Amino acid sequence: AETALRVSREKFESLVNSIDGVVWEARPSSNAFTFVSQKAEHLLGYALAEWTSGNSFWADHLHPDDRDTAIRLCSEAAARREIIRLEFRMIAADGREVWIRDIATVNEGPDGDLLLRGVMFDISEQKKAEHEMDLLNQKLRDASREAGMAEIATGVLHNVGNVLNSVNVSASLAVDQI
């Protein structure tokens, strides 16, 4: 039985640690992580023990611009026992911003307390690509606007040219008549 339990645990740990994201569990009452997979260390550069040692690791490492909103949305969804889907930035050990997509469910633990269980994915490259796409779209809008203005200017110049040509012909006829 012990061997079967050990093999089952090793299989579970292997499965959890092979996911390209941080599998985690936390208590919403204290915001304390009770478990994080090994990918956590790779994600932000903090040791696994730092993730689970206190009650505020997540909140303390949220980007200041995202902190209040992420905590509020997470708390509200947990209170309603809804699936939590958030995107926010965290600050890595080396100071860089890491965009995170977090998906979690609210579960009842064996002691009756609520538990949040989820997966965090690094979406920094996706956010960078979205930002570059936004910049390219803005350049395209600007070029399109300039092309439209150039087309209008071409039309106006053409019409002015037609009027001037008519004036020139009329002036020539008037000179010939005189």
Side-chain angles (χ1 to χ4, degrees):
E2 283 184 28
T3 302
L5 181 61
R6 182 180 49 77
V7 168
S8 177
R9 181 178 173 83
E10 287 172 359
K11 186 176 182 180
F12 170 75
E13 287 177 2
S14 175
L15 176 66
V16 166
N17 289 319
S18 68
I19 294 173
D20 191 24
V22 177
V23 178
W24 59 269
E25 180 182 77
R27 297 194 179 277
S29 58
S30 63
N31 286 329
F33 284 112
T34 56
F35 171 81
V36 290
S37 62
Q38 292 176 357
K39 296 284 183 175
E41 197 167 330
H42 174 72
L43 180 68
L44 297 177
Y46 297 102
L48 296 179
E50 292 180 78
W51 284 73
T52 57
S53 65
N55 288 344
S56 60
F57 179 87
W58 180 65
D60 289 347
H61 294 89
L62 284 169
H63 188 281
D65 294 343
D66 299 343
R67 182 176 293 124
D68 293 338
T69 302
I71 291 171
R72 179 180 50 79
L73 291 174
C74 185
S75 296
E76 290 171 357
R80 292 188 304 268
R81 295 186 180 206
E82 295 176 346
I83 292 176
I84 300 166
R85 289 182 176 89
L86 297 173
E87 289 185 1
F88 50 85
R89 291 167 290 176
M90 292 186 78
I91 305 300
D94 61 7
R96 67 190 159 84
E97 294 178 3
V98 179
W99 272 99
I100 304 291
R101 176 173 294 129
D102 199 2
I103 303 168
T105 59
V106 182
N107 303 281
E108 193 170 311
D111 56 1
D113 280 355
L114 290 182
L115 292 173
L116 299 177
R117 292 181 176 141
V119 183
M120 292 181 188
F121 298 101
D122 181 351
I123 59 168
S124 300
E125 289 300 316
Q126 179 183 349
K127 287 293 187 177
K128 181 180 175 185
E130 286 175 11
H131 178 69
E132 289 173 4
M133 181 74 83
D134 289 343
L135 291 175
L136 289 173
N137 281 334
Q138 183 61 43
K139 286 181 181 179
L140 183 59
R141 282 190 296 275
D142 292 346
S144 178
R145 191 175 116 270
E146 288 174 12
M149 290 188 322
E151 190 172 327
I152 289 170
T154 300
V156 168
L157 287 174
H158 178 74
N159 290 338
V160 168
N162 286 342
V163 169
L164 289 175
N165 192 33
S166 295
V167 168
N168 189 27
V169 168
S170 296
S172 291
L173 285 174
V175 167
D176 287 349
Q177 292 274 336
I178 292 178

